[in-house]
Amino acid sequence: MTDYSKYEGMYVTNRYAAEIVDGLRPCCRAEYLACQRHLRDLERQGTEDFPYVFDTTRADRIFDWFEHYCCHVRGVFSGQLIQLQPFQYFDLGCVFGWVHKDTGKRRFTTSFNMRARGNVKSTEMSGVALYGMCADAIYPPYEPENRQFENMPEVECAAVDRLQAKRVWGDAKAMGEKSTEISKYLLIKATYITHKTRGGWLRALSKDTKNKDSGAPCIVIIDEYHAHPTSEIVDVLKSGFGKRFQSLLMIISTAGKDASNNPCKREYDDAKKYLTGEAVNENYFVMIRELEEGDDVGDPACWVKANPILQNDDEYSRGLLAEIQTEYNAAFGTGNPDKVREFLTKRCNLWQQDSEEKYLTSDQLKTWEELAVDPGSFHQLIHGCEHLAGYDLSKKIDLTGYAGCCNLPDGRIAVWAHGFIPAEAVDVHAKSDRVPYYEWIRDGWVTKTSGAVVDYAYITEYVNHEAAMIGKKPKEDCFDPYNATYYMTELAKDTERTPVEVRQNTFTLSEPTNWLRELIVSRRVVHDGSPLLTWALGNAYAYTDGNGNIKLSKKNKDDTQRIDPAAALINALSRLPKSKPKRSKYEDDDFTEM
């Protein structure tokens, strides 16, 4: 029998964490680790190595703001003052309660919060936005009576499109209008919100907003980050941090359907590392609520892991439970894959592949990543092997792809890739492609060529260097004829090289494209862990013709998520003789499957 007396007198944020860690509340591992982190930090607070303290008066301030001034603006509780839920006492308490022991400055500069649809995300963020305009104070250490407020507060509500951005902003507007206290301080008009005496603004931003550079934001709210194709709006708004005493970025979202190439998924992966201890970031708050591997997605008892509001027994939570059950029945009763993916992302908070057209599923991409070995070991594997080179030269101002492949004695296929980018385009592509080209150049995955266009002499030099390392020149140089005529003509002058044109149609490319996927699934491929090649494979879609043949393609022709290294690899694989998997000594040659 549980002894609840141990929790009596505990502060609400700390009590929630203790109840999660003690197993009194259902949760996923990520939430457990977040609560464990909070309790561990309480034990070491204020030390030389950890100069932060949990100030309950600061947490109380955000709680009181919601419960004394903010009303629900829709649903069954519309017009009633908000009563925060236990999970919100933890989340908001952590974000606003942890401060530096000497300066009183907020500890967390970023909050990453993921939970399923229907768990009052927009309502919560609307209240936070209004708090940023009216009540977010700069405290001298332990002197709340002398608190000061930011002059010209800037609060940004950002989303992928203006309609979604207006959701949080619109709720904040309605919430402010319903509150006589809040409306005393804010001038609330149809299209803008500002503070009556301190100025500033609360505004909605999207990718369509012409001037996204706010300059000096106090609080930035990123709503449904999973829907953002790039991190552009986050990067632009964060560039203004440092101009305020305690700027705060709050990312809140459900999971999405592009698990292989999504800025929110990358943020999610990093956030998980902060929870597990693989990486350390003391200024980054993480709360992820999701179902897990092994959970029954049809069991309501599991749904609470992603839907913390289901822990309540009130009219709203009962209505949400019925709604989730209806959607589950519709999705899994019909077997409609689109409805199933929608249920898994929005109700279970599970990342999914965005489309069946993606070349590699998220599981296949995960398998690919597991098949990497360190570059030193990889070079030993391929030394002395007869290999083929593949190229996708593309436009001279873009990323150019080179790849290699060879059969290994153990029956596996070794593959590798490299990129080339002109010096004058690196900065442009680092921003448009949203990938760390400078890091990849530093680490040797990409070569920066001089000038404004790719200098093919660098490719020749690199391939020759690779050949010297392997001990043999490529048996064939396999290329896409588009933009490659000059380079391959020059290459043909080397009598030891054999340029081969690979026609870029599904008839030619379908077999190697399918083969690479089969090699990954059967774990018969090995690579050197190139993040460039992994990125390209994650970007690739499978174009299918009327006969069921496939080839790699981008999602659309203007997509900045490039596939050139992967296309170069397919060109090389199209000419590689297939080796048979190495047989076990226990296999019986006469055995025939029945």
Side-chain angles (χ1 to χ4, degrees):
M1 186 174 180
T2 302
D3 177 14
Y4 288 94
S5 63
K6 64 177 286 190
Y7 304 106
E8 292 179 6
M10 290 183 71
Y11 187 70
V12 286
T13 304
N14 305 338
R15 175 169 181 162
Y16 182 88
E19 289 175 348
I20 286 288
V21 171
D22 289 347
L24 300 185
R25 293 180 179 273
C27 70
C28 64
R29 176 164 173 75
E31 182 171 10
Y32 176 91
L33 291 174
C35 291
Q36 187 182 60
R37 178 194 191 191
H38 176 72
L39 296 176
R40 184 178 64 246
D41 289 347
L42 288 175
E43 294 177 355
R44 62 186 184 126
Q45 64 179 319
T47 61
E48 184 177 347
D49 294 333
F50 188 72
Y52 303 103
V53 294
F54 185 65
D55 185 346
T56 58
T57 67
R58 297 285 289 272
D60 283 342
R61 188 169 174 80
I62 187 72
F63 299 158
D64 290 345
W65 172 258
F66 272 94
E67 297 181 343
H68 292 167
Y69 304 116
C70 299
C71 294
H72 290 281
V73 296
R74 63 167 58 85
V76 295
F77 299 125
S78 182
Q80 298 181 31
L81 283 172
I82 290 173
Q83 172 61 56
L84 293 174
Q85 302 302 312
F87 73 90
Q88 293 175 303
Y89 283 131
F90 179 78
D91 296 2
L92 293 171
C94 284
V95 172
F96 290 90
W98 279 105
V99 297
H100 193 281
K101 66 182 181 67
D102 298 324
T103 65
K105 182 179 180 180
R106 256 195 307 264
R107 167 190 174 183
F108 293 115
T109 58
T110 301
S111 168
F112 182 80
N113 198 309
M114 289 188 67
R115 55 183 185 257
R117 175 196 288 163
N119 286 265
V120 297
K121 295 191 300 296
S122 295
T123 298
E124 184 179 304
M125 289 302 101
S126 298
V128 168
L130 292 170
Y131 181 81
M133 288 297 296
C134 300
D136 193 20
I138 304 171
Y139 284 74
Y142 312 112
E143 298 178 21
E145 68 277 6
N146 295 323
R147 60 178 172 255
Q148 302 173 16
F149 297 91
E150 291 278 15
N151 191 39
M152 300 289 289
E154 298 175 15
V155 178
E156 311 286 13
C157 301
V160 69
D161 56 50
R162 192 156 186 80
L163 185 63
Q164 183 65 35
K166 281 280 191 179
R167 177 64 183 268
V168 171
W169 185 91
D171 281 4
K173 176 177 178 292
M175 199 178 286
E177 290 171 334
K178 285 179 179 291
S179 170
T180 55
E181 287 298 317
I182 294 175
S183 58
K184 286 180 183 178
Y185 298 102
L186 297 183
L187 181 62
I188 304 173
K189 296 296 184 181
T191 58
Y192 69 92
I193 300 173
T194 187
H195 196 281
K196 288 181 179 179
T197 60
R198 291 189 277 121
W201 62 65
L202 167 58
R203 67 175 181 173
L205 291 179
S206 71
K207 62 180 176 60
D208 302 319
T209 305
K210 292 182 179 179
N211 180 21
K212 292 188 281 287
D213 186 3
S214 66
C218 300
I219 293 180
V220 172
I221 296 168
I222 306 294
D223 192 27
E224 297 297 5
Y225 192 32
H226 74 88
H228 291 239
T230 74
S231 62
E232 177 186 7
I233 201 162
V234 172
D235 298 339
V236 169
L237 293 173
K238 281 195 73 174
S239 67
F241 280 23
K243 301 174 184 177
R244 300 280 187 172
F245 179 65
Q246 51 180 12
S247 295
L248 172 63
L249 170 67
M250 300 196 74
I251 298 173
I252 194 156
S253 185
T254 57
K257 301 174 187 174
D258 189 0
S260 60
N261 187 45
N262 183 285
C264 185
K265 179 57 165 60
R266 291 194 290 270
E267 200 78 29
Y268 166 92
D269 290 338
D270 289 344
K272 280 287 190 77
K273 292 177 182 178
Y274 302 145
L275 289 179
T276 61
E278 294 176 65
V280 177
N281 189 337
E282 301 291 11
N283 306 118
Y284 195 113
F285 174 76
V286 181
M287 176 50 73
I288 297 170
R289 295 181 171 94
E290 61 188 356
L291 269 69
E292 303 169 279
E293 185 176 352
D295 284 342
D296 181 357
V297 299
D299 183 358
C302 293
W303 293 343
V304 70
K305 291 185 177 183
N307 299 268
I309 211 163
L310 293 182
Q311 295 182 42
N312 301 339
D313 184 19
D314 56 32
E315 188 177 354
Y316 180 82
S317 60
R318 289 192 293 272
L320 178 62
L321 179 62
E323 190 176 335
I324 296 173
Q325 184 69 65
T326 297
E327 291 184 14
Y328 173 81
N329 293 341
F332 288 86
T334 63
N336 184 312
D338 292 333
K339 290 182 178 179
V340 169
R341 284 205 307 275
E342 182 75 4
F343 182 86
L344 294 176
T345 54
K346 301 308 179 188
R347 296 307 190 183
C348 301
N349 210 22
L350 294 172
W351 284 93
Q352 300 295 302
Q353 203 65 39
D354 69 334
S355 169
E356 293 180 330
E357 296 176 359
K358 253 322 182 48
Y359 173 56
L360 296 180
T361 67
S362 54
D363 287 342
Q364 290 166 352
L365 199 61
K366 181 180 178 182
T367 299
W368 162 264
E369 292 172 345
E370 293 170 352
L371 295 171
V373 299
D374 66 89
S377 300
F378 184 79
H379 291 154
Q380 292 179 8
L381 280 175
I382 65 175
H383 182 74
C385 291
E386 189 173 79
H387 66 287
L388 302 179
Y391 306 83
D392 185 48
L393 300 184
S394 192
K395 296 177 181 178
K396 286 192 171 186
I397 60 171
D398 288 337
L399 179 70
T400 285
Y402 154 78
C405 63
C406 66
N407 285 303
L408 296 177
D410 61 8
R412 290 183 297 170
I413 309 297
V415 301
W416 59 97
H418 194 79
F420 302 86
I421 192 167
E424 294 184 18
V426 176
D427 191 52
V428 172
H429 282 295
K431 292 177 180 177
S432 65
D433 298 5
R434 301 288 164 184
V435 290
Y437 280 117
Y438 287 107
E439 292 180 22
W440 291 350
I441 291 168
R442 181 198 65 199
D443 296 339
W445 304 112
V446 175
T447 294
K448 179 174 67 174
T449 73
S450 60
V453 298
V454 171
D455 185 343
Y456 289 155
Y458 283 82
I459 303 176
T460 301
E461 181 181 352
Y462 182 87
V463 175
N464 287 338
H465 171 75
E466 192 102 310
M469 181 196 68
I470 296 173
K472 292 183 179 182
K473 289 189 175 182
K475 182 181 179 182
E476 293 180 353
D477 294 275
C478 313
F479 66 97
D480 169 358
Y482 181 69
N483 285 330
T485 304
Y486 172 78
Y487 178 67
M488 288 303 165
T489 300
E490 291 297 304
L491 195 64
K493 294 177 181 178
D494 184 341
T495 57
E496 297 183 48
R497 305 291 282 275
T498 306
V500 176
E501 182 177 306
V502 178
R503 305 305 300 177
Q504 300 298 294
N505 53 51
T506 55
F507 179 79
T508 302
L509 298 176
S510 187
E511 184 177 10
T513 304
N514 277 315
W515 186 34
L516 176 58
R517 190 157 51 188
E518 292 168 8
L519 291 171
I520 294 169
V521 171
S522 62
R523 308 182 76 88
R524 289 184 51 226
V525 68
V526 61
H527 60 96
D528 59 3
S530 164
L532 173 74
L533 182 53
T534 299
W535 174 65
L537 287 169
N539 293 337
Y541 281 73
Y543 166 78
T544 306
D545 68 13
N547 296 316
N549 295 315
I550 69 169
K551 69 174 184 177
L552 298 187
S553 72
K554 295 199 294 183
K555 190 170 186 177
N556 59 68
K557 65 182 182 64
D558 298 319
D559 197 347
T560 58
Q561 304 304 303
R562 307 184 190 283
I563 66 170
D564 308 79
L569 176 58
I570 296 299
N571 287 337
L573 285 172
S574 71
R575 300 284 300 172
L576 185 70
K578 287 190 176 183
S579 63
K580 294 182 179 180
K582 189 174 181 180
R583 293 169 63 86
S584 166
K585 66 180 181 178
Y586 300 108
E587 281 191 74
D588 184 351
D589 287 333
D590 295 328
F591 176 77
T592 303
E593 289 190 69
M594 299 299 291

